[in-house]
Amino acid sequence: MEYSAKVLEHFANPHNVGKIDDADGIGEVGNAKCGDIMKIYIKVQDDVITDVKFNTYGCASAIATSSIATDMIKGKPISEALKLTNKAVVEALDGLPAVKVHCSVLAEEAIKAAVKDYYDKNGIKYDEELFKPDNCHYTHEH
């Protein structure tokens, strides 16, 4: 299986690893089929994600996608973070092996889950459609 240099770099030296104790939102998603579990913590100020950390238990692709996805939303408005797609994550990593693309979906879903948690905790109204899981991504086996 061929990994891009960027995937290997983010796997070997992942950015934003850790936990935010007083996080404003926490999103945890997992794919039981392949054992990848991703937990993302966000700090929010004035609708901007000021800090983000993650803990991921999983394969190189899951760790690399968590790392680059957190880089991509840090310092960005929530509205922009919610638009982050797994396709953008894959492109930022210069591609992923086809059987690993589902890992990038986990990053997208963990971010959405963290934002939803933030909205719920603060009683902020949101459009349910934004947070509907798209389960068609989970057809690949490891």
Side-chain angles (χ1 to χ4, degrees):
M1 193 162 5
E2 283 293 307
Y3 284 115
S4 72
K6 257 197 177 150
V7 171
L8 295 173
E9 179 197 320
H10 276 273
F11 172 60
N13 302 295
H15 308 170
N16 310 308
V17 174
K19 181 179 179 219
I20 300 174
D21 287 327
D22 56 345
D24 294 315
I26 299 173
E28 185 169 1
V29 295
N31 183 343
K33 205 178 269 184
C34 58
D36 292 327
I37 296 166
M38 198 176 285
K39 196 166 189 175
I40 286 190
Y41 303 84
I42 58 172
K43 284 294 284 177
V44 180
Q45 195 174 349
D46 300 327
D47 227 31
V48 170
I49 295 172
T50 54
D51 197 11
V52 56
K53 296 262 185 264
F54 79 89
N55 286 124
T56 293
Y57 174 81
C59 62
S61 301
I63 290 164
T65 54
S66 305
S67 173
I68 204 151
T70 52
D71 275 353
M72 291 165 84
I73 65 165
K74 199 173 192 172
K76 298 284 193 305
I78 285 179
S79 56
E80 215 174 299
L82 286 175
K83 288 191 193 116
L84 183 71
T85 62
N86 66 301
K87 189 170 176 282
V89 171
V90 171
E91 282 170 8
L93 287 169
D94 298 332
L96 277 176
V99 296
K100 295 294 185 181
V101 168
H102 66 90
C103 297
S104 61
V105 177
L106 272 184
E108 178 187 333
E109 290 187 346
I111 289 165
K112 283 184 175 164
V115 169
K116 185 176 186 300
D117 182 48
Y118 164 69
Y119 283 166
D120 288 341
K121 280 180 179 160
N122 291 280
I124 298 167
K125 296 258 179 284
Y126 54 85
D127 179 359
E128 292 284 342
E129 286 298 309
L130 280 175
F131 300 100
K132 283 246 163 67
D134 182 359
N135 291 319
C136 69
H137 295 292
Y138 294 112
T139 51
H140 296 295
E141 297 289 336
H142 250 331

